[in-house]
Amino acid sequence: MEKPILTHTIMKKFPSLTTLLAAVAMLCGTSCSSQAGRVPADEIFEPYAATALRAPSVPLVVSDPYFSIWSPYDKLTDGTTRHWTNDEKPLEGLLTVDGTVYRWMGAERFVLKSIAPMADEEAWEADYTRAVQREGWQRPEFVPTDWQRGCAAWGSDGLDFVRTHWSDLNSDLYVRRAVTLTADDLKEDLWMIYSHDDVFELYVNGTKVADTGETWVDGVRLHMDGDLKGLLHEGENVIAAHCHNTTGGAYTDFGLFKNMSEKTAVTTAEQKSVSVLATNTYYTFACGPVELKVVFTAPMLIDDYDLLSAPINYISYQVNATDGKKHEVKMQISAARELVLNKASQPTRSEIITEGGVQYAKSGTVDQPILAKKGDGICIDWGYLYIPAINGTVALAEGDQLVFSNDLGAVDKAASYMMIGYDEVLDIEYMYKRYKGYWAHEGAVTIFDMFDRMNKDYASIMKRCREFDKMIYDDAMKAGDKKYAEVLSASYRHVIAAHKLFKDEDGNLLFFSKENNSNGCVNTVDLTYPESPLFLAYNPELQKAQMTSIFDYSLSGRWTKPFAAHDLGTYPIANGQVYGGDMPLEEAGNMLTLAAQICRIENSTKYVDKYWNVITTWADYLSENGQDPANQLCTDDFAGHWAHNCNLSVKAIMGIAGYAEMARIKGDQSTADKYMTRAKEMAIKWEQDALEGDHYRLAFDREDTWSQKYNMIWDKLWGTNLFPNGAMERDVQYYLTKQNKYGLPLDCRKDYTKSDWIMWTAGMAKDKADFLKFVAPLYDYMNETGSRVPTSDWYDTKTGLMVGFKARSVIAGHWMRVLVDKQAK
């Protein structure tokens, strides 16, 4: 049975792009219309600054946690474009030059037929055990004594196709599957596919062929070619898997397939360069006698909420003959049905529609389960994908693909652009009311209106995006160097695309993060805190938009505890906290500190006046409990929580100082003096109790320990000078002796770190020279990591590999030094 990669269509379709391009061109001439747009200027195709950083994953088409497409490869043609979850979201780019077809984006699509099916196709059986095994269990000659027989998949109840329960935390699963192959099977183009949660190892006849580390992914493909294919033989083979579940859900499934796709006459374009700036990604390719430049633009301008929230991106392209001759050139860009799916088995419907005189290729699931799913590693399966026939024509191809084509004719130079967008219909639920994104203005603006505006304003928007790229790059250069500028440039769209911007029924601007690849929580306060430097530096209104709902949650009486909530739910449902454990000092300190910074920027307490009783309660909680913290959860809960946490105490002290600062700005000097005196007393005692020679401890009662005290940065920003005896500089100099190849560990317990906290800590450095000593290893990590995902903020400083977390908004913490510099001015 074939895997449902190009199946489950509702309508009869035309032939696929890669096999019958001529048919597609014919279709575009009869079933589609084209509306002219603006001709892109040459400047659009040249990055403000060429970048050398090899981003772990390159942003292509990004808008929010659902409409998010990346290329996790060195070359855009090295594989299929993907969602941050690693689910395939295939975009394909083809340029035909004088009849020769060049692929410049994506990889050849496969139709795979099972030899050893996976659990979605068959309840396949295998031997398994949960007992930890010694070396040799994976070899063909091993006899699985005392093992059991079970049916795939193995995993947590409620997950797709689970037939054998397995979900214990910190537990192991071993599976041995016998697969019989014929001589004819071995002549096929073979592929292994596996799904797992969490750490996964796969063996073929005793040889390891996959080792994933800490991650959870569905449908990973492994090409069994070359030496890997040599591991298989005629007769019985043993495919074995070991999966370790660390936390949360568990899952194991795998199978073997053969590629049934027909070979096509498509040449891979030669990629010459790639540069990633804040809002634009630039590629250059050689396509025979033609140079092709492509620019992916997400116009996420931080001061334009319509564009920041608009679920529409541009793909601009320019061709230049390199031989001085004219050539017949056609551009084709297609989007696969997977862009509208959460699971490959879901049926889709695609059609050509006309709105406002413009034809659109449209695709979506048949069922349209609007806001019916919530969780972490899921993709959207409601709403509709659109490609308009602007500067080209649109058509449908086999497998519900949406196809954009533009016949540029005989040219030696030409340029144009296309647009792609996704209307989620309803984007988020907040306190039991459903909302569209900000751009829709409560339904007054349709997706077609937004396409029309962005088409008309293409030239001005692209100019503004270039200016914004320049500002981000130049500010980073002033604060650091080229490496720092490239890190920030590669981080911007990553950050914004992890949010949803909307207005509630009271007119409040709300900017909710999704805790990607962590637990899926919405508007988590201990994400709002580490990501704050970007927004405090460039638009504090967006910082407020992350905080207002947390204040209102307490003000409403729905949250009654004397500290801030951790979250508001599981994305995209934000009806109240779902996290299982509170973080009292953490979240109260976070909210008070950020509120104080906003009040300092505005020299006014207008934003917090209505919440004054709430923040007073939180400040008193910090004063009573923050000097020597009990065994509480904090933002670094993955590292384990120790009582007497010194960094958590710093957070409490700065939260109290922040409350004093707000009282001072409010004009209540007696309250300001009272709380600032308390903060100073606590800081003096902190310095005495935490000091251990040339540094400060991880926990007050733990000798020979250390940790990053990134919360102390506010003492520098505010000039409050609470911590005596050069405590900040003492620790910074100590940290410089503890760095590994890829950066400073979070603390003495493990080699792993958090990139956001490194940059907060680096922000405390006394000068640029010391600051750059922290930047260089982070740059090397991003440039060299083997974890090809949207940057993982939690990684191993020795191996440079992801430990957990990816595509999270917290890397906006990379902007801390920019914030420090802007405040100094």
Side-chain angles (χ1 to χ4, degrees):
M1 181 175 176
E2 294 181 359
K3 292 290 290 179
I5 293 173
L6 296 175
T7 58
H8 300 284
T9 57
I10 300 300
M11 319 168 52
K12 183 177 180 180
K13 297 294 179 284
F14 302 107
S16 68
L17 264 181
T18 54
T19 55
L20 290 172
L21 291 171
V24 172
M26 178 188 70
L27 280 166
C28 293
T30 59
S31 65
C32 317
S33 68
S34 175
Q35 175 171 307
R38 282 60 185 154
V39 177
D42 287 351
E43 182 183 58
I44 286 172
F45 299 96
E46 298 299 328
Y48 167 67
T51 62
L53 176 66
R54 186 230 60 182
S57 192
V58 178
L60 301 178
V61 176
V62 294
S63 174
D64 67 7
Y66 287 140
F67 192 35
S68 184
I69 304 173
W70 302 71
S71 175
Y73 312 103
D74 291 350
K75 296 181 179 179
L76 191 52
T77 53
D78 279 350
T80 303
T81 57
R82 295 176 180 270
H83 187 255
W84 62 260
T85 58
N86 203 46
D87 283 11
E88 292 187 353
K89 301 295 176 183
L91 296 175
E92 184 179 50
L94 302 171
L95 189 74
T96 304
V97 181
D98 297 332
T100 300
V101 182
Y102 296 89
R103 177 179 288 107
W104 56 267
M105 175 169 61
E108 183 179 359
R109 303 299 313 285
F110 299 135
V111 176
L112 300 178
K113 185 175 181 180
S114 61
I115 295 174
M118 294 178 70
D120 60 341
E121 184 179 332
E122 179 182 299
W124 59 271
E125 292 187 4
D127 295 322
Y128 77 96
T129 183
R130 294 173 187 162
V132 175
Q133 297 295 297
R134 295 180 178 178
E135 173 62 27
W137 67 272
Q138 71 274 37
R139 295 173 184 164
E141 65 271 17
F142 176 80
V143 179
T145 307
D146 297 327
W147 288 38
Q148 303 176 64
R149 292 289 287 179
C151 291
W154 287 259
S156 303
D157 293 338
L159 297 181
D160 289 344
F161 312 111
V162 168
R163 299 181 178 90
T164 305
H165 177 81
W166 165 58
S167 64
D168 297 340
L169 302 185
N170 290 313
S171 66
D172 293 88
L173 174 75
Y174 298 81
V175 179
R176 287 171 55 90
R177 181 178 189 180
V179 176
T180 300
L181 299 177
T182 66
D184 288 340
D185 289 333
L186 294 172
K187 296 176 183 177
E188 301 285 353
D189 181 23
L190 299 179
W191 291 76
M192 197 80 73
I193 301 181
Y194 55 90
S195 299
H196 64 94
D197 184 356
D198 297 292
V199 184
F200 184 81
E201 298 170 327
L202 188 67
Y203 299 84
V204 174
N205 289 322
T207 299
K208 184 185 291 186
V209 297
D211 190 347
T212 68
E214 175 76 13
T215 186
W216 50 98
V217 184
D218 287 335
V220 179
R221 294 181 186 178
L222 175 64
H223 196 187
M224 299 297 292
D225 61 351
D227 292 341
L228 291 181
K229 191 170 187 178
L231 300 175
L232 297 165
H233 55 75
E234 188 175 354
E236 184 174 282
N237 297 259
V238 173
I239 303 175
H242 168 220
C243 193
H244 176 78
N245 183 41
T246 55
T247 186
Y251 199 83
T252 294
D253 187 21
F254 54 91
L256 183 65
F257 300 82
K258 57 183 177 182
N259 179 16
M260 303 297 289
S261 305
E262 296 180 6
K263 294 293 182 181
T264 57
V266 177
T267 302
T268 300
E270 180 187 358
Q271 183 173 308
K272 307 295 286 188
S273 67
V274 57
S275 288
V276 180
L277 292 175
T279 63
N280 294 288
T281 296
Y282 299 83
Y283 283 97
T284 303
F285 304 92
C287 300
V290 167
E291 177 188 72
L292 169 66
K293 294 183 177 181
V294 181
V295 185
F296 295 87
T297 305
M300 297 170 157
L301 301 176
I302 204 164
D303 59 351
D304 187 324
Y305 300 150
D306 283 334
L307 291 178
L308 184 76
S309 63
I312 297 171
N313 279 204
Y314 299 113
I315 304 177
S316 307
Y317 48 92
Q318 182 185 64
V319 294
N320 290 282
T322 57
D323 59 1
K325 300 177 182 179
K326 291 184 181 292
H327 298 275
E328 290 287 341
V329 179
K330 296 179 182 179
M331 172 63 77
Q332 289 102 7
I333 298 173
S334 65
R337 63 186 295 273
E338 284 88 341
L339 270 68
V340 303
L341 301 178
N342 184 47
K343 296 294 181 183
S345 57
Q346 292 177 284
T348 56
R349 178 182 289 115
S350 297
E351 58 184 330
I352 303 293
I353 64 170
T354 301
E355 292 285 344
V358 178
Q359 289 195 325
Y360 292 82
K362 172 185 177 183
S363 185
T365 60
V366 172
D367 295 336
Q368 287 295 304
I370 296 174
L371 292 173
K373 293 180 177 65
K374 60 182 180 179
D376 188 359
I378 63 174
C379 298
I380 196 168
D381 57 5
W382 68 88
Y384 297 96
L385 176 70
Y386 293 95
I387 297 178
I390 295 173
N391 298 324
T393 55
V394 292
L396 307 178
E398 182 181 6
D400 273 0
Q401 288 185 85
L402 306 187
V403 181
F404 171 86
S405 300
N406 185 10
D407 189 342
L408 297 169
V411 296
D412 55 6
K413 181 177 181 178
S416 192
Y417 65 91
M418 60 89 71
M419 303 161 74
I420 183 170
Y422 200 108
D423 185 3
E424 296 180 14
V425 181
L426 290 170
D427 297 50
I428 199 157
E429 182 175 308
Y430 171 53
M431 295 305 164
Y432 303 98
K433 183 174 177 61
R434 294 181 168 188
Y435 297 93
K436 289 186 70 66
Y438 180 95
W439 64 272
H441 294 279
E442 294 77 48
V445 177
T446 69
I447 190 69
F448 309 110
D449 296 331
M450 205 63 197
F451 271 115
D452 183 58
R453 176 200 159 179
M454 291 181 64
N455 178 40
K456 290 177 179 176
D457 294 347
Y458 170 79
S460 64
I461 290 172
M462 292 298 289
K463 181 179 179 181
R464 291 169 64 195
C465 286
R466 183 179 180 83
E467 291 169 349
F468 185 80
D469 291 354
K470 179 180 184 299
M471 178 183 69
I472 293 296
Y473 190 93
D474 286 353
D475 284 353
M477 284 292 290
K478 293 172 187 174
D481 62 0
K482 181 174 174 60
K483 288 185 176 181
Y484 187 48
E486 293 188 5
V487 166
L488 296 195
S489 296
S491 300
Y492 181 77
R493 275 173 288 168
H494 172 133
V495 171
I496 302 299
H499 294 85
K500 173 63 64 176
L501 183 70
F502 66 105
K503 270 190 174 181
D504 71 7
E505 60 184 353
D506 296 321
N508 293 311
L509 183 70
L510 302 176
F511 192 46
F512 284 2
S513 63
K514 178 179 179 181
E515 197 167 341
N516 291 338
N517 200 233
S518 180
N519 62 10
C521 278
V522 58
N523 207 36
T524 302
V525 174
D526 56 291
L527 267 67
T528 297
Y529 180 71
E531 69 173 286
S532 63
L534 171 64
F535 305 106
L536 292 171
Y538 292 107
N539 189 350
E541 294 301 317
L542 288 177
Q543 188 62 56
K544 296 178 187 176
Q546 298 174 67
M547 299 167 62
T548 297
S549 58
I550 299 296
F551 280 132
D552 283 343
Y553 192 26
S554 285
L555 190 65
S556 70
R558 293 195 63 215
W559 181 261
T560 59
K561 297 178 181 181
F563 45 81
H566 169 271
D567 62 82
L568 288 178
T570 302
Y571 195 91
I573 308 300
N575 293 329
Q577 178 170 313
V578 296
Y579 194 66
D582 293 329
M583 297 186 181
L585 293 174
E586 174 72 39
E587 310 303 19
N590 291 342
M591 289 293 289
L592 285 169
T593 302
L594 295 177
Q597 178 67 11
I598 289 170
C599 292
R600 284 175 56 89
I601 291 170
E602 299 180 341
N603 196 29
S604 168
T605 61
K606 180 180 178 180
Y607 174 61
V608 297
D609 282 345
K610 68 182 289 188
Y611 308 118
W612 198 259
N613 290 338
V614 171
I615 65 176
T616 300
T617 298
W618 294 350
D620 288 341
Y621 181 88
L622 296 180
S623 179
E624 294 168 9
N625 299 278
Q627 182 72 71
D628 187 6
N631 194 356
Q632 290 195 6
L633 285 172
C634 68
T635 188
D636 303 321
D637 55 354
F638 55 85
H641 39 97
W642 282 5
H644 320 296
N645 184 315
C646 294
N647 191 40
L648 191 57
S649 179
V650 174
K651 178 165 291 186
I653 293 168
M654 294 315 305
I656 296 165
Y659 179 75
E661 280 288 279
M662 288 186 281
R664 176 186 62 79
I665 295 168
K666 190 179 178 68
D668 184 352
Q669 194 60 46
S670 62
T671 298
D673 290 344
K674 173 185 174 182
Y675 283 87
M676 191 60 76
T677 297
R678 174 60 175 152
K680 289 180 178 178
E681 292 172 348
M682 293 173 70
I684 291 170
K685 180 171 174 52
W686 183 96
E687 199 272 338
Q688 295 169 348
D689 294 348
L691 181 62
E692 189 166 59
D694 57 354
H695 68 281
Y696 296 90
R697 293 176 175 177
L698 164 60
F700 292 118
D701 63 335
R702 303 286 184 122
E703 295 181 356
D704 300 320
T705 62
W706 65 271
S707 66
Q708 293 188 43
K709 310 298 188 305
Y710 49 80
N711 288 311
M712 205 178 288
I713 186 67
W714 304 104
D715 201 24
K716 176 176 181 174
L717 278 163
W718 298 345
T720 40
N721 300 314
L722 297 174
F723 293 88
N725 301 320
M728 187 182 301
E729 179 61 15
R730 185 197 303 265
D731 247 10
V732 168
Q733 292 304 313
Y734 183 78
Y735 298 148
L736 290 173
T737 71
K738 293 296 180 181
Q739 291 207 104
N740 291 324
K741 180 178 180 180
Y742 295 114
L744 177 67
L746 185 64
D747 58 46
C748 59
R749 292 175 290 182
K750 299 281 188 179
D751 290 325
Y752 59 58
T753 194
K754 295 284 273 74
S755 68
D756 48 333
W757 296 144
I758 288 179
M759 287 295 96
W760 277 54
T761 294
M764 300 190 298
K766 69 180 185 300
D767 55 36
K768 182 184 285 190
D770 278 352
F771 168 68
L772 293 177
K773 292 175 184 177
F774 293 99
V775 171
L778 172 61
Y779 180 95
D780 290 343
Y781 155 65
M782 293 178 66
N783 194 52
E784 299 173 10
T785 179
S787 299
R788 303 307 298 270
V789 300
T791 304
S792 170
D793 54 284
W794 181 20
Y795 67 92
D796 189 292
T797 59
K798 289 185 176 178
T799 67
L801 296 176
M802 166 185 171
V803 176
F805 307 159
K806 59 183 173 181
R808 301 204 316 162
S809 61
V810 299
I811 69 168
H814 294 171
W815 269 265
M816 180 54 85
R817 190 71 180 195
V818 173
L819 176 62
V820 170
D821 279 13
K822 284 183 175 292
Q823 177 136 327
K825 296 174 183 177

